[in-house]
Amino acid sequence: MNEHETDIGEWRSLGGAPVGDGSDDTDLVFAHVSDLHGQLTPRYQVYYDNPTSKPDFGFGDDDRVIERGGGISLLAAKLDELREHHTVCTLMSGDTFHGTAVTTYTDGRAMLEPINDHVAPDVYVPGNWDYSNEAAEEGNFLELMDTLDAPVLANNLYDWETDERLYDAYSTLDVGEFSVGVVGMTNPYVDRMAPAFSEGKYRFGKHPELLEESAQAAREDGADVVVAVTEIGLPWMVQAAKDCPSVDVMFSAHTHEYTYDPIVVEETETVVVESGMGEALGRVDLRVRDGEVQFRHHLYCLTEGGEHTPEPDPDAEETVETARAPFFEDDPEFERGAGTLDRPLDAVVGRTEEPLYRQSFLESAWNTLFNDALRAHFDTDLAVSHGFRYGTAIPSGEITLGELYTFFPMTTPVARGVAYGQQLTNHMEAFLQDNFTPYPYDQEDGRVRNFSSNVEVTVDPTAKRGRRLVELQVNGESVDPEETYSVATFRRPGDPEHDLGNCGFPFQDVEVEGGTIPVDVIVKYLEEHSSIDYEVMGLVETADDGGRAQNTPADGPYPFIQPGVDYAAGEAYCETSMIPRGNAFPEEGRNRTR
């Protein structure tokens, strides 16, 4: 054990029982990088205090802190440190090529050299945002995947026309005297979340039986241990761990959860971990002793000055700075979609009194700010947007243009339209169903729809389907289903002509402002209102006589944001009582439609 490995956890069986024998030897270390979202350099993130959170950030009287960390140079240095002492297999779950101005205006290509030369994954599994450039005419998903040095695994990704699988379902690697099978599964719901990312190009197998089929195939090829690398979300993976006994360890991504303690499903002796975002690195050690597979786990939060954080890798820093340099010139002159970048990313565009972030489930100060900016821009009754959860935090103080792009990197035009009250309530109900369904295989997004600050929502997360929205108010008045409301939002690439903001229904009187993107609207709002002062305002609340939901990991017993429902009154996550214990699989596991 080296100086950076003083508390990486105890050896346990896959069923969770301690098996420590005093030795520290390991056969293989899996390092898990997930949800990088274009994070080339260190950036700020919010960390919440809860019963399992680590490390101890010295929360004091607060239940959250803002820390800076991550980025390619710190990840590369930590990976090199592990590789120096162990046999390491680096697994990478996707959402890599999207998330900043640099990735947006280079179509993700700026990430290729840093990933290939410094992170150097042994396996890459695509995430839903890796397909995002496909919404444009010059989509380049296949180019990005083919340029990676690592093999791409995706057991559920098929060509639209031929129905042929595009990448291998699994690979095997020999470690000492035993063989490890690695199964990859990309996000199965890309076609539902953003049809323009895949229509006419890709189809997605959706059933978890595909994991079991691939794991069994790997075992037939001689694998003694099977791990799965996915980008689907933690609730989905916990349920899959109960239904797919042939997988030993599942590396989850997509919901950006921090499993400081591994989730152990005793029924199938399967371990599930999720490794946060680009400033975190998951580690699972495996060894086989007397025929038994044993593991230990640690989640490194690579915050600057942290106990386990090494010095940045200088070669990686040079590569990153070369990629970023054109974006800090006086006149960058980048264009993409409806967006134009005509000033450096470090330009100060506003100021905030309170930190801004959105790593939350029901409501965030950032999403409220964004919607208020949209509403002010168009002078509408309300504004609505995705309750996105990825992104950085902005500490109190100056706000730069580059930081805004990490919150909304899409260069899609803003828009407005008119909707009936019934359309708005039906839309909100559909999102509540997606998030609060007790069946994890039906969950896909992990965030509740957000509105401007003049909209209040009351929900009952444990109500039956179609009854979870208790009330939707605009300016203190309940929405009238027969009245019309002007709505500010944005146009997503590839959406139907009268559908705006992923609402899924036709608006009337649609107006699209072709040369203005969301970042432009936020900059304008900041120029007129700085210094701003936004906090969580209680705009989304649960009914007094209904089930409760938590907004952040600091608000309740679960250390996880999704599903956010305390069905089990604080019992262990894996024992959530409304999640079914088994599932009847169809004979054909590829069911590509819902």
Side-chain angles (χ1 to χ4, degrees), residues 1-11 24-26 29 78-88 281 283 285 296 298 300 307-309:
M1 182 178 296
N2 65 50
E3 61 178 340
H4 297 286
E5 298 178 351
T6 57
D7 60 351
I8 63 169
E10 63 178 351
W11 286 103
D24 188 52
D25 52 339
T26 181
V29 171
K78 189 64 183 180
L79 288 166
D80 286 345
E81 179 185 281
L82 293 177
R83 290 164 181 158
E84 181 181 351
H85 295 89
H86 303 285
T87 300
V88 176
L281 179 69
R283 170 182 174 175
D285 295 7
R296 61 183 180 181
H298 186 83
Y300 297 108
E307 177 186 1
H308 299 289
T309 305

Side-chain angles (χ1 to χ4, degrees), residues 173-391:
L173 54 118
D174 294 325
V175 181
E177 297 181 356
F178 71 102
S179 176
V180 177
V182 182
V183 176
M185 189 170 189
T186 190
N187 194 299
Y189 300 126
V190 174
D191 51 356
R192 298 211 307 240
M193 288 187 270
F197 290 6
S198 63
E199 281 186 337
K201 298 179 180 180
Y202 315 113
R203 300 183 189 274
F204 299 86
K206 301 187 184 306
H207 208 285
E209 174 70 356
L210 285 167
L211 278 178
E212 182 68 8
E213 290 176 358
S214 300
Q216 291 178 3
R219 290 193 184 277
E220 290 172 3
D221 270 1
D224 302 298
V225 179
V226 176
V227 303
V229 186
T230 68
E231 205 277 343
I232 310 173
L234 190 61
W236 201 100
M237 294 310 301
V238 171
Q239 183 60 46
K242 300 173 182 178
D243 293 332
C244 303
S246 295
V247 182
D248 297 307
V249 182
M250 294 188 174
F251 292 90
S252 175
H254 177 62
T255 36
H256 300 182
E257 308 287 10
Y258 293 76
T259 53
Y260 299 102
D261 290 337
I263 298 170
V264 177
V265 179
E266 295 181 9
E267 299 96 320
T268 55
E269 296 191 340
T270 304
V271 177
V272 186
V273 298
E274 188 157 320
S275 304
M277 288 178 280
E279 84 295 345
L281 179 69
R283 170 182 174 175
V284 173
D285 295 7
L286 289 184
R287 68 182 185 186
V288 177
R289 296 295 178 268
D290 298 325
E292 179 186 54
V293 179
Q294 301 172 355
F295 83 99
R296 61 183 180 181
H297 167 262
H298 186 83
L299 179 62
Y300 297 108
C301 289
L302 300 178
T303 55
E304 293 178 335
E307 177 186 1
H308 299 289
T309 305
E311 291 297 315
D313 180 271
D315 292 335
E317 283 187 311
E318 183 177 349
T319 299
V320 166
E321 288 311 307
T322 299
R324 283 165 42 88
F327 293 86
F328 292 86
E329 297 176 358
D330 290 339
D331 187 4
E333 296 184 349
F334 285 98
E335 293 185 359
R336 186 169 186 268
T340 299
L341 184 66
D342 55 7
R343 51 179 154 172
L345 293 182
D346 56 1
V348 176
V349 294
R351 187 174 183 85
T352 179
E353 296 296 320
E354 295 289 336
L356 293 170
Y357 47 86
R358 61 178 175 203
Q359 189 68 358
S360 56
F361 179 58
L362 300 173
E363 176 194 349
S364 73
W366 165 264
N367 282 325
T368 304
L369 163 65
F370 173 44
N371 284 310
D372 279 358
L374 284 171
R375 181 178 176 234
H377 182 78
F378 285 111
D379 190 23
T380 54
D381 294 324
L382 69 150
V384 61
S385 72
H386 286 68
F388 289 127
R389 288 197 336 189
Y390 65 82

Side-chain angles (χ1 to χ4, degrees), residues 41-55:
T41 60
R43 62 186 183 186
Y44 290 98
Q45 189 52 267
V46 58
Y47 295 92
Y48 293 101
D49 189 17
N50 62 59
T52 68
S53 62
K54 303 184 185 79

